[in-house]
Amino acid sequence: MIVAERKPLTEIIKAVAPFAKVLVLGCGECVTVCMAGGDKEAKETAAAIAIARKKTGQELVVKTLTVERQCEFEYLESARKLVEEADVVVSLACGVGIQTMNIHYAKVQTLPGVNTTFMGLPLQQGIWVENCLGCGNCVLEETVGICPIARCSKSMLNGPCGGSQDGLCEVSKETECGWHLIVERMIKFDKLSVLSEVKPPKDWATSHSGGPRKMVREDVKL
Amino acid sequence: MSMSNLQKVVASGAFAVTGELGPPKSAERKKIEHHAHLLKGCVDAVNLTDNQTAIVRTSSIACGRILIEEGLDPVVQITCRDRNRIAIQSDVLGAVALGMKNFLCMQGDHAKCGDEPSAKNVNDLDSTNLIQSLRRMRDEQVFIGGKKLEAPIDLFIGAVENPFADPFEYRAYRLAKKVEAGADFIQTQAIFDMDRFELWMEKVRELGIHKKIPILAGIIPIKSMGAVRYMKNNVSGMIVPDAIIDRIKAAEDKKEEGIKLCVEMINHLKTVEGVAGVHIMAVAWEEIVPEITERAGLLPRPKFD
Ligand code: SF4
Ligand code: SF4
C-alpha cells in the first residue's frame, strides 16, 4: 500500500485561509487503511478548519466527501457537484490522488492534505515500514524476498556495509538492517552461496532516475 | 606498469604500514602538509579520508596531490555516498593524471551520520561495484557503460572489511567477494576486540583469502578516555571490549597506556598468519605515529629506487 501521514493541521488551515468554500476530500483506499486520509480524517480535518475559522470570523463553508479511489478519473465523477461548488479542495489522498484531482478538475485547485511517505506495509497496528522503491527491475528473487534497494539505507546490491551491528542499521537504532535480514534468511534457505556472486552496477534507468516513467500497453489499450 | 610505493612494499613481502590523514574542514594547505610531515618516513602510504563520517572536508584527491608533492604515497579513499558512476570514474582519471595510484573503495557512512543530514545519498554503485569497475578500467580499459578508455591506467585497488560488523558469519565471505571483484589489498576496521578479529582471520584462512591478497589490520591508538568511550558508543560498526576501557581507565598516564596497547597489538598482529601489515589510523594524533612505529619495530620503512 501507499503510506501517508496527514499534514499538520496548522499547515492545512494556513493553506486554505484565502478560501471561503472548502472541500475536504478523503480517499477510501490506502490512506483509509493507514488512517491518514479516510472519511474519519476528512471529517476531523474539516472540523479543525471550521474551529480555526470561527476564531477569525472569516466566512467559511466546509464540506467533506470520501471517494472510493482518488487515483482514477472514473471514481472522481461522484465528487463533481461538490468540487465545482468549492473554491478549493484539500485532498487527503496520496500524491497520486491529489494529482489525479488536479488533472480531472483543472479549474479548481486541489491542495495536499497529507505527506505521502512510501510504499510499504503495516507491520503491526500503528507501525508501517517501507518495502519497495519501484525500481523497475525487481531483484527479490536474488535476495530471498527482502528488498536490498528499499530496506538497505544505501541500496547496496552486494551485501551489508560495515555499519551493520546487532541487526540494526547505522542510520538509526529504529531501523533494521535490511542486509542482516537477507543474510539470515539466506542461511535459513541454505542459499548463502548465492551472495558470493558479484552483482554488477544496477541499471537505474528503469527507476525514477531514468526520468518520470510511463507505461504503455498496446495489448490492453482501447 | 608503474607501481605505487605501497604496491612495491606489499610485493616485496615486507610487513606493510599505512597511515591515515583526515583532511581539514578548511582549505589550509599548511595543515595538510604538517600532518604529512609527521607521517613521512614512518609509513609506506597514507590514506586520505573522503568526507569521513559524512562531514565536509577538503577533497581527498586534492590532498592526495599535496601528499605527492611532499613525497608521500597517497591512498585515495572513494565512497559511493556522494558521487555517481560518472563523477567517480572521472575523478579517478583526474587523480591518476595527478599521480595517484592507490584507491580505496568504500561505501561511506550514511549522510544522516554527519553534518549534512539533509543531503541526498547517491549510492549509485555499491563498494563491490566500485572495486569491480576500477578493475575493469585498469584490466580491460573499459568504463562501466562499456566505452573504452583512450589509454591504459595504473591502479592499485583497495577494499575495506569490518570484522566487527554483523552479520559476523558473512563477513569473511564478503571479503572473498571483494577479492573476486578485483581488490588488490585490504584494510580492516580498527581492531580492539582481538579475539573476534582472530576468529574472523581463521575463517579468512579457511577460505584461503589471505593467500590471494594482503590484509592490513586496522589500528587506532587510544589517546584518552573520552576518545575510547566515543568509539565504543558513537562509531557504528566498532567493538570496544570493556577490558580495554578498564585498562585505560586504570592507567595513570592514559596516553602512554594507549601507545603501549597499540604496540602490543601490532606485535601480536605480526604473528597472525595472513596479516600482511597494519593500517594505523591516528587521525587527530598524527604526531604519535613515529613513536608507535619506532617502538613496534616497524622502522625504517623499506625504500625503493
Ligand atoms: S527490487 Fe525494486 S521493484 Fe523489487 S521490491 Fe525492491 S525496489 Fe521494489
Ligand atoms: S547497516 Fe545495513 S541497512 Fe544500513 S546501510 Fe548498512 S547494509 Fe544497509
Side-chain angles (χ1 to χ4, degrees):
Chain A
M1 65 187 285
I2 293 183
V3 182
E5 201 175 24
R6 189 169 55 193
K7 279 182 176 286
L9 287 168
T10 47
E11 207 178 298
I12 297 174
I13 289 162
K14 197 172 156 212
V16 300
F19 304 97
K21 293 181 207 147
V22 180
L23 171 64
V24 180
L25 191 64
C27 172
E29 297 280 2
C30 307
V31 288
T32 295
V33 182
C34 71
M35 296 173 274
D39 199 44
K40 180 170 164 274
E41 292 78 22
K43 286 183 175 134
E44 277 170 14
T45 307
I49 296 170
I51 292 167
R53 206 51 89 78
K54 239 188 204 143
K55 285 187 196 148
T56 66
Q58 225 182 316
E59 182 201 345
L60 174 75
V61 182
V62 61
K63 294 191 175 162
T64 63
L65 179 72
T66 298
V67 295
E68 202 177 321
R69 188 183 298 163
Q70 251 189 73
C71 57
E72 283 190 58
F73 297 133
E74 56 183 291
Y75 290 95
L76 298 181
E77 273 309 308
S78 62
R80 179 165 295 276
K81 187 167 167 287
L82 290 181
V83 172
E84 286 175 351
E85 282 169 13
D87 297 333
V88 74
V89 180
V90 175
S91 164
L92 299 188
C94 71
V96 182
I98 301 163
Q99 294 184 67
T100 312
M101 275 294 292
N102 277 298
I103 295 167
H104 197 66
Y105 295 113
K107 285 195 196 128
V108 188
Q109 234 199 114
T110 298
L111 307 176
V114 302
N115 292 318
T116 304
T117 41
F118 52 79
M119 279 194 269
L121 63 86
L123 201 59
Q124 34 176 289
Q125 175 76 13
I127 301 179
W128 292 267
V129 286
E130 181 166 27
N131 288 90
C132 174
L133 287 182
C135 74
N137 187 6
C138 196
V139 300
L140 284 175
E141 85 281 3
E142 294 166 13
T143 51
V144 282
I146 299 167
C147 174
I149 311 299
R151 305 225 43 203
C152 165
S153 304
K154 300 174 187 169
S155 296
M156 296 174 72
L157 293 174
N158 281 290
C161 77
S164 171
Q165 233 166 13
D166 303 324
L168 300 176
C169 172
E170 70 175 28
V171 165
S172 136
K173 295 242 181 297
E174 311 293 309
T175 310
E176 283 174 301
C177 167
W179 268 106
H180 194 106
L181 298 173
I182 293 171
V183 170
E184 275 189 340
R185 205 164 141 81
M186 284 269 185
I187 292 171
K188 223 179 255 167
F189 280 75
D190 203 18
K191 276 180 116 177
L192 204 54
S193 58
V194 176
L195 287 187
S196 306
E197 252 169 69
V198 176
K199 298 269 178 307
K202 187 169 171 68
D203 176 3
W204 294 107
T206 59
S207 77
H208 177 71
S209 188
R213 291 163 282 178
K214 186 177 193 171
M215 189 168 79
V216 181
R217 279 191 50 187
E218 296 300 338
D219 59 330
V220 291
K221 265 168 88 177
L222 290 179
Chain B
M1 187 187 77
S2 91
M3 297 207 280
S4 73
N5 188 59
L6 177 61
Q7 203 169 358
K8 285 178 195 162
V9 173
V10 164
S12 76
F15 194 76
V17 184
T18 51
E20 186 153 306
L21 192 156
K25 290 185 219 165
S26 69
E28 292 162 285
R29 186 184 168 115
K30 273 213 186 82
K31 253 191 200 166
I32 302 159
E33 286 173 354
H34 173 68
H35 287 147
H37 293 157
L38 292 170
L39 297 173
K40 199 170 176 177
C42 311
V43 295
D44 305 314
V46 176
N47 281 37
L48 293 157
T49 52
D50 178 12
N51 298 303
Q52 197 176 14
T53 60
I55 291 171
V56 180
R57 294 168 179 279
T58 310
S59 112
S60 54
I61 293 173
C63 293
R65 183 59 215 168
I66 296 172
L67 253 60
I68 289 175
E69 285 166 20
E70 297 305 316
L72 287 104
D73 185 24
V75 178
V76 179
Q77 297 194 354
I78 305 182
T79 71
C80 300
R81 179 192 56 227
D82 310 320
R83 285 169 287 183
N84 69 7
R85 62 191 77 180
I86 301 172
I88 290 181
Q89 293 180 100
S90 157
D91 277 354
V92 166
L93 291 182
V96 172
L98 289 170
M100 285 153 246
K101 291 197 171 68
N102 311 312
F103 294 88
L104 186 73
C105 305
M106 45 215 298
Q107 195 67 34
D109 300 309
H110 196 275
K112 256 194 178 170
C113 306
D115 288 349
E116 302 283 357
S118 308
K120 185 161 186 176
N121 288 267
V122 179
N123 299 317
D124 172 23
L125 304 176
D126 73 12
S127 47
T128 311
N129 294 152
L130 178 55
I131 295 163
Q132 191 186 37
S133 305
L134 294 193
R135 182 188 58 72
R136 295 190 67 214
M137 281 173 80
R138 181 191 62 201
D139 297 349
E140 300 165 35
Q141 286 170 49
V142 69
F143 292 113
I144 298 172
K147 284 277 182 295
K148 282 283 206 184
L149 276 77
E150 288 163 8
I153 51 171
D154 290 325
L155 300 172
F156 191 45
I157 305 163
V160 293
E161 191 43 70
N162 184 1
F164 311 102
D166 290 320
F168 181 66
E169 312 85 292
Y170 183 56
R171 287 290 152 184
Y173 291 104
R174 179 146 172 75
L175 182 73
K177 189 171 185 172
K178 287 183 171 183
V179 175
E180 199 200 316
D184 299 315
F185 70 97
I186 301 294
Q187 289 175 327
T188 77
Q189 170 69 289
I191 304 160
F192 291 106
D193 186 345
M194 194 54 89
D195 294 342
R196 175 145 160 166
F197 178 75
E198 295 214 44
L199 213 61
W200 177 74
M201 277 306 296
E202 243 170 58
K203 189 77 200 170
V204 166
R205 286 193 297 267
E206 202 183 298
L207 297 173
I209 310 168
H210 67 303
K211 296 229 167 87
K212 295 186 187 156
I213 195 164
I215 299 170
L216 276 56
I219 292 280
I220 295 182
I222 298 172
K223 195 179 181 179
S224 64
M225 267 318 281
V228 71
R229 275 215 190 96
Y230 180 83
M231 286 187 278
K232 187 177 174 77
N233 303 325
N234 301 72
V235 180
S236 52
M238 210 178 251
I239 298 178
V240 185
D242 288 334
I244 299 251
I245 308 251
D246 294 344
R247 179 168 162 183
I248 301 293
K249 206 193 230 161
E252 223 165 86
D253 185 345
K254 316 263 185 238
K255 281 190 184 171
E256 172 56 26
E257 199 61 30
I259 297 168
K260 252 198 213 153
L261 178 73
C262 191
V263 171
E264 276 169 30
M265 281 174 119
I266 294 172
N267 282 329
H268 179 73
L269 286 165
K270 285 185 198 163
T271 68
V272 177
E273 191 193 344
V275 172
V278 283
H279 174 51
I280 306 171
M281 294 167 269
V283 171
W285 201 19
E286 286 86 355
E287 64 271 22
I288 205 61
V289 176
E291 184 175 342
I292 289 173
T293 46
E294 173 71 51
R295 283 169 64 174
L298 297 170
L299 300 182
R301 299 309 310 149
K303 278 209 171 73
F304 305 89
D305 297 328

